[in-house]
Amino acid sequence: MELDSYEYGLDCEEAVVVPVLDTRKQAVEDAIGTPQRSVNGSIVDDVVRAGFELIYNANSYECGRCESSGGWCGSWRHNNMHGGVSFTCFCDNGRIAEDQRCGTADIIESTSCFLSLCLLIVVLLLNFKYGFLPCKPKIKPRIESFLQKNGNQHAKRYTYADVKRMTKSFAVKLGQGGFGAVYKGSLSNGCQVAVKMLKDTEGDGEEFMNEVASISRTSHVNVVTIFGFCLEGSKRALIYEYMPNGSLERYGFSNNMDNGNTLSWDKLFDIAVGIARGLEYLHRGCNTRIVHFDIKPHNILLDRDFCPRISNFGLAKLCLNKESAISIGGARGTIGYIAPEVFSKQFGTVSSKSDVYSYGMMVLEMVGARDKNINADSEASSQYFPQWIYEHLDDYCISASKINGETTELVRKMIVVGLWCIQVIPTDRPTMTRVVEMLEGSTCNLELPPKVLLS
């Protein structure tokens, strides 16, 4: 390596003073005699050949970094007015690394850091997707604690591998909603099931716990049955009984009429009665009273015989049997079916009567969507339907039933009960027990509710 002798203080005229070994010390003193005298060349040669100690105090940290990068430790003298000597690192290319490293090592170390960072990102992404690392989400301990507290009240627990096996790796998709997707599957005994995969893994897990806690406590012909659940890492699933006829939404609405999905008035009436019985059971028949808070056609499933089953308990609230008012953290439900008191306390307290309101809106929607005589050009399409049907009840019943007396009575029952259920003040609404009585009783004593300002 070529270095500038002037720049690095290697000028041959520099005087160097070194300590002489003890074995040659006496010979030098005899030759010199006094400290002021010079030493001739032969004596200096003898001293140098005999050897002398040279100690270099280099910074061990800096020197280690230099040598690990493929360089050599050294020093150089400053050419300024102050002079002085500094540590430096000599590299193959003759340059001095200012950070005590040769350039190649910096590239290697930077590349190593980059690759390590990429590997860490890949590991975190894989863990987020498959949950194979031992770390647990913050909400999982709370859910686990809830499941342990409820003991045998909840359904069977399955692993994520079990869920993939029963759905054949999610081969058949039944539907998609805001909660996630539903897939068709089958248990080991051949029983067909619907597997709901919850996509929302954030929050405190309230909806997941609500469904497991609520539906595990029920046993009624008009409430869907849960077979199990899965909680593994970020994966959450609910395994329900399979409903081959899908949801009520597929059948009761005019936009599906062309697909042959129309239900007769008799069948719609039976469905309305079945839903009323299911809600009566949730409000009064369970050991723990349950308010659903999201009654709508999408959450009413139909089995092979079109028997309705109430499903989707993600927004449900569990209450004590004698408790009337319910405390909620904010409006919950679906626009169009939410009771006024859920939006504002000025209408009254939130209670099971909130489900009654949602039920009434759903029944009136079933009636309005079923009648083919009401189309986009009719008067009803430009007016709030509950208000229009209140004013045209008799004419509508006759038109819808085609002068069939028995059907007219069924249609009239559904409309009058629906209007009672959507009263603005909760105390003016009937209980679900009373709703069942009105539907199963005679229309002779079934009066219209007071007309209120509907909007």
Side-chain angles (χ1 to χ4, degrees):
M1 150 175 69
E2 296 180 359
L3 299 173
D4 187 342
S5 62
Y6 178 76
E7 180 180 0
Y8 298 103
L10 299 180
D11 195 320
C12 294
E13 295 181 357
E14 290 288 340
V16 179
V17 179
V18 297
V20 178
L21 292 176
D22 290 341
T23 57
R24 302 298 298 171
K25 181 177 180 181
Q26 188 61 45
V28 175
E29 290 178 351
D30 293 342
I32 296 176
T34 62
Q36 289 80 14
R37 294 180 59 186
S38 300
V39 181
N40 60 40
S42 63
I43 294 178
V44 172
D45 290 341
D46 292 341
V47 172
V48 173
R49 287 191 182 94
F52 55 87
E53 292 181 349
L54 179 61
I55 300 175
Y56 176 71
N57 294 320
N59 186 302
S60 59
Y61 171 73
E62 295 178 343
C63 193
R65 296 179 67 193
C66 174
E67 291 180 350
S68 65
S69 68
W72 300 270
C73 301
S75 64
W76 66 288
R77 176 167 296 180
H78 298 279
N79 290 329
N80 53 33
M81 60 182 294
H82 300 290
V85 179
S86 298
F87 170 82
T88 190
C89 181
F90 296 100
C91 305
D92 287 335
N93 58 6
R95 297 173 57 191
I96 301 172
E98 295 179 357
D99 64 345
Q100 290 77 50
R101 294 187 185 186
C102 293
T104 305
D106 290 336
I107 297 175
I108 294 175
E109 182 169 331
S110 299
T111 304
S112 177
C113 292
F114 176 74
L115 293 176
S116 299
L117 180 60
C118 291
L119 179 61
L120 177 61
I121 293 174
V122 170
V123 170
L124 292 177
L125 289 176
L126 290 175
N127 178 59
F128 178 77
K129 183 175 182 179
Y130 298 105
F132 60 87
L133 289 182
C135 57
K136 297 181 180 180
K138 292 181 180 179
I139 62 173
K140 187 174 180 181
R142 180 187 175 192
I143 299 179
E144 292 286 4
S145 175
F146 159 79
L147 295 176
Q148 293 175 3
K149 181 179 179 181
N150 282 264
N152 295 326
Q153 292 182 355
H154 53 69
K156 181 180 178 180
R157 184 168 185 169
Y158 291 90
T159 66
Y160 185 63
D162 294 332
V163 173
K164 291 186 66 176
R165 191 179 304 111
M166 70 177 65
T167 60
K168 296 181 179 179
S169 297
F170 311 103
V172 181
K173 189 174 184 179
L174 298 176
Q176 179 75 41
F179 55 82
V182 180
Y183 300 90
K184 186 177 180 180
S186 59
L187 300 179
S188 57
N189 60 4
C191 179
Q192 290 186 323
V193 294
V195 179
K196 180 164 72 171
M197 297 298 301
L198 303 179
K199 71 175 182 179
D200 183 15
T201 58
E202 299 179 355
D204 58 2
E206 179 184 3
E207 290 193 17
F208 177 81
M209 291 186 289
N210 277 347
E211 290 231 34
V212 175
S214 301
I215 205 166
S216 297
R217 298 168 183 261
T218 63
S219 178
H220 193 272
V221 66
N222 296 121
V223 179
V224 71
T225 302
I226 186 172
F227 292 135
F229 66 94
C230 169
L231 174 64
E232 186 174 317
S234 61
K235 307 298 182 183
R236 301 181 204 167
L238 296 164
I239 297 96
Y240 291 104
E241 60 178 325
Y242 173 65
M243 297 285 106
N245 283 316
S247 70
L248 176 61
E249 189 270 338
R250 293 172 52 186
Y251 298 89
F253 300 89
S254 57
N255 58 351
N256 287 325
M257 293 295 184
D258 296 336
N259 298 329
N261 289 334
T262 305
L263 295 176
S264 67
W265 282 112
D266 290 344
K267 185 63 67 176
L268 281 177
F269 180 80
D270 290 341
I271 291 173
V273 174
I275 299 170
R277 289 173 177 167
L279 282 174
E280 180 190 22
Y281 167 77
L282 294 178
H283 294 173
R284 300 298 176 190
C286 290
N287 292 331
T288 301
R289 188 159 60 93
I290 300 173
V291 180
H292 190 278
F293 279 114
D294 201 19
I295 296 297
K296 60 181 180 180
H298 296 74
N299 292 335
I300 305 300
L301 302 180
L302 303 173
D303 67 7
R304 192 175 304 277
D305 299 320
F306 287 93
C307 177
R309 308 287 184 94
I310 300 173
S311 68
N312 196 355
F313 285 73
L315 301 181
K317 293 283 288 185
L318 304 180
C319 314
L320 297 177
N321 288 330
K322 296 182 179 180
E323 185 180 17
S324 58
I326 299 174
S327 175
I328 58 176
R332 55 176 60 198
T334 302
I335 298 298
Y337 304 93
I338 305 177
E341 67 272 14
V342 177
F343 281 112
S344 175
K345 294 181 179 180
Q346 68 177 357
F347 293 102
T349 58
V350 177
S351 66
S352 58
K353 294 292 185 71
S354 302
D355 277 353
V356 174
Y357 182 93
S358 300
Y359 171 82
M361 290 300 298
M362 182 182 64
V363 169
L364 292 177
E365 188 176 11
M366 290 165 60
V367 171
R370 171 62 180 78
D371 189 5
K372 297 180 181 179
N373 295 324
I374 294 182
N375 53 53
D377 298 327
S378 69
E379 178 187 354
S381 64
S382 60
Q383 190 176 359
Y384 182 59
F385 182 74
Q387 183 174 341
W388 182 90
I389 199 68
Y390 187 96
E391 298 170 355
H392 301 83
L393 176 60
D394 293 333
D395 294 339
Y396 180 85
C397 290
I398 295 175
S399 174
S401 61
K402 298 180 180 180
I403 318 300
N404 182 314
E406 185 176 346
T407 304
T408 300
E409 184 176 0
L410 297 182
V411 176
R412 184 180 182 86
K413 282 183 182 181
M414 293 177 67
I415 295 173
V416 174
V417 168
L419 291 174
W420 272 108
C421 290
I422 64 169
Q423 294 296 296
V424 175
I425 306 301
T427 53
D428 292 338
R429 302 171 202 154
T431 64
M432 290 310 302
T433 301
R434 177 57 184 153
V435 168
V436 173
E437 293 174 354
M438 288 191 290
L439 289 173
E440 294 180 340
S442 172
T443 57
C444 297
N445 299 323
L446 194 60
E447 299 180 355
L448 276 173
K451 185 178 181 179
V452 295
L453 180 62
L454 303 174
S455 62

